[in-house]
Amino acid sequence: MSADSENLSDLFGPSAAASVSTAANTLAGRLPDRRTSAVDAVAANATPAARVTQQTQRSETTPTARPQTEHRHDDGDADDDLPAQISVYVLPAVVTTVRRTRNGRTNAQIAFQAITALRDQLPELVAAHRRTAAKPSAAVGPFAPQPGDRSGSTRRVLWTFKATGRNQRVLDKIVGEAGAGSRSELVAAALEAHLLRRRQRS
């Protein structure tokens, strides 16, 4: 007889102790183990088909991560219509002529028309413009020219116009074709040849 049964026998007598011990063992056999949850107990006794059904239900109720859709923006032509200012150094006579013969045209239109009209001559015009711009200044009395001195005939002033991204690419292409060192050099050569020569002819 176990120690628990002996204690019950002392309290209730042999027959009563046997009845109480039997009832306690029966009840303990019907109760599930506290270490196992009710869901796990049901799953352990379920048939294979029932287990598949339970797993399916769990997967349907469990939220799944939705694939993120990439939003790609095609910005290849986004700056085609955005204008940027281009600085050009030209002879003062160019600025005077532009003001007098503008006729409602923008600086950009005047620059593009000059380049277009002299497209085939641009390599020679750029070379001539470069030689003129590099002409050393004259001596002043007994003093020789110094670095930074400018000749009065080649003094230039700032002139600007705006070009969109698309037209800047066209301009850069022509800069390469003409052998110019910059946009400014190309535009200045074209403007001076187109406007000043035409003024001299008139």
Side-chain angles (χ1 to χ4, degrees):
M1 179 179 295
S2 64
D4 292 338
S5 299
E6 291 179 355
N7 292 334
L8 291 175
S9 177
D10 293 340
L11 292 174
F12 302 104
S15 60
S19 299
V20 173
S21 178
T22 301
N25 291 333
T26 302
L27 181 60
R30 293 180 180 178
L31 292 176
D33 190 348
R34 285 179 299 176
R35 294 171 299 178
T36 306
S37 65
V39 175
D40 293 337
V42 173
N45 296 325
T47 61
R51 293 176 185 173
V52 172
T53 303
Q54 291 173 1
Q55 293 175 357
T56 303
Q57 291 175 348
R58 289 179 183 176
S59 63
E60 290 177 351
T61 57
T62 301
T64 57
R66 296 182 179 179
Q68 296 181 353
T69 303
E70 293 187 4
H71 297 282
R72 303 182 64 181
H73 300 282
D74 187 4
D75 295 334
D77 299 331
D79 63 341
D80 278 357
D81 296 325
L82 296 178
Q85 182 169 286
I86 297 177
S87 300
V88 184
Y89 288 91
V90 296
L91 294 173
V94 170
V95 178
T96 302
T97 304
V98 168
R99 290 174 180 171
R100 191 179 68 252
T101 62
R102 181 177 296 279
N103 295 327
R105 296 175 298 168
T106 64
N107 283 359
Q109 289 175 317
I110 293 172
F112 296 156
Q113 288 172 359
I115 293 171
T116 303
L118 302 172
R119 181 76 178 269
D120 296 336
Q121 306 173 41
L122 287 177
E124 292 79 10
L125 294 174
V126 167
H129 176 271
R130 189 173 297 165
R131 289 192 298 269
T132 302
K135 182 179 178 180
S137 58
V140 180
F143 300 98
Q146 297 184 149
D149 290 347
R150 292 184 178 181
S151 174
S153 61
T154 58
R155 183 178 66 88
R156 285 178 162 76
V157 296
L158 179 64
W159 185 82
T160 64
F161 68 98
K162 291 184 178 181
T164 61
R166 187 188 306 275
N167 285 332
Q168 289 178 55
R169 290 194 293 272
V170 174
L171 190 60
D172 290 340
K173 179 182 178 181
I174 299 176
V175 166
E177 293 174 353
S182 64
R183 297 171 179 174
S184 177
E185 185 177 48
L186 174 76
V187 176
L191 284 173
E192 292 173 7
H194 185 63
L195 296 179
L196 301 185
R197 286 181 182 179
R198 186 172 62 181
R199 188 181 67 172
Q200 291 172 358
R201 288 194 300 269
S202 61

